[in-house]
Amino acid sequence: ACFCSHHILAASLPLGTLADRWSAARTVCGGGAFVLVATATTSLAAVGDAAAVSESGRGRAYALLVVAMALWGVVNATIDGPAQALYASSMRRADRTRLMTRAFQLYTMAAVAGRGLSAAVFWAHGDAWSLPALRDAILVGVGCEVLAGGAMCCYRRPACRSSGPAEPPSGPPEPASRGGSAAVLQRGDMGAAGGPLARR
């Protein structure tokens, strides 16, 4: 957990910058791919540690686990940053508090369910702390993470939503001789494919 927290902290700012300057949806999809890689790495570490009969084998399994924690740090930083920002931008402002609260409730329910699954795995192993029981609990947990990774790979850039009609512009309209077609083109460029609004 300590390794994972440090990697979340290290990855948060670069991922947020990448999402802002490139694409939040593509960044989240990349995080979904990291889920699959992290799942495979964690599974190899868990299976290798449970089957290891020598100190060198346990050392290799531990090294794999450290790499896996780094990968999960990237995944969690993606979920806590770009994914939540993209989710918030896909809803009306008037509904944002309610829907974000529901998302947090579902997140908490999933965490509680994961603890229940872990308890069930250990109960099936005779309620004893052992490497095979720990291996199976890890495999069940990362298997469930694959569902989250698949959902992240399906993220798309949401359509812009507003909470109501646009407010009328303040002040007198700009004369045609001063605004002219240049002002119209400038307003059009704001929403064009290469405009600053399209990069969000």
Side-chain angles (χ1 to χ4, degrees), residues 88-105:
S89 66
S90 67
M91 62 189 73
R92 296 188 310 159
R93 186 177 301 174
D95 299 330
R96 192 166 294 168
T97 300
R98 175 174 55 86
L99 294 178
M100 290 297 292
T101 300
R102 287 185 179 178
F104 181 75
Q105 289 172 336

Side-chain angles (χ1 to χ4, degrees), residues 7 17 21 23 61 69 76 85 94 106 108 114 116 118 131-132 136 139 141 145 152 158 160 163 169-170 173 181 194:
H7 291 123
T17 303
R21 297 190 176 183
S23 168
M69 290 300 101
N76 289 327
L106 291 172
T108 305
S118 297
L131 286 178
D136 292 348
L139 293 178
E145 290 284 357
M152 292 170 68
C160 295
S163 57
S170 58
S181 59

Side-chain angles (χ1 to χ4, degrees), residues 82-166:
Q84 291 194 26
L86 193 62
Y87 176 62
S89 66
S90 67
M91 62 189 73
R92 296 188 310 159
R93 186 177 301 174
D95 299 330
R96 192 166 294 168
T97 300
R98 175 174 55 86
L99 294 178
M100 290 297 292
T101 300
R102 287 185 179 178
F104 181 75
Q105 289 172 336
L106 291 172
Y107 183 85
T108 305
M109 290 169 61
V112 172
R115 290 173 174 84
L117 283 174
S118 297
V121 170
F122 277 99
W123 177 82
H125 279 269
D127 201 16
W129 184 269
S130 64
L131 286 178
L134 184 59
R135 174 201 61 203
D136 292 348
I138 290 175
L139 293 178
V140 170
V142 296
C144 294
E145 290 284 357
V146 173
L147 300 176
M152 292 170 68
C153 290
C154 295
Y155 261 64
R156 295 294 181 270
R157 181 173 179 266
C160 295
R161 297 178 182 272
S162 60
S163 57

Side-chain angles (χ1 to χ4, degrees), residues 42-57:
T42 307
S43 300
L44 288 174
V47 172
D49 190 41
V53 294
S54 63
E55 288 299 325
S56 60

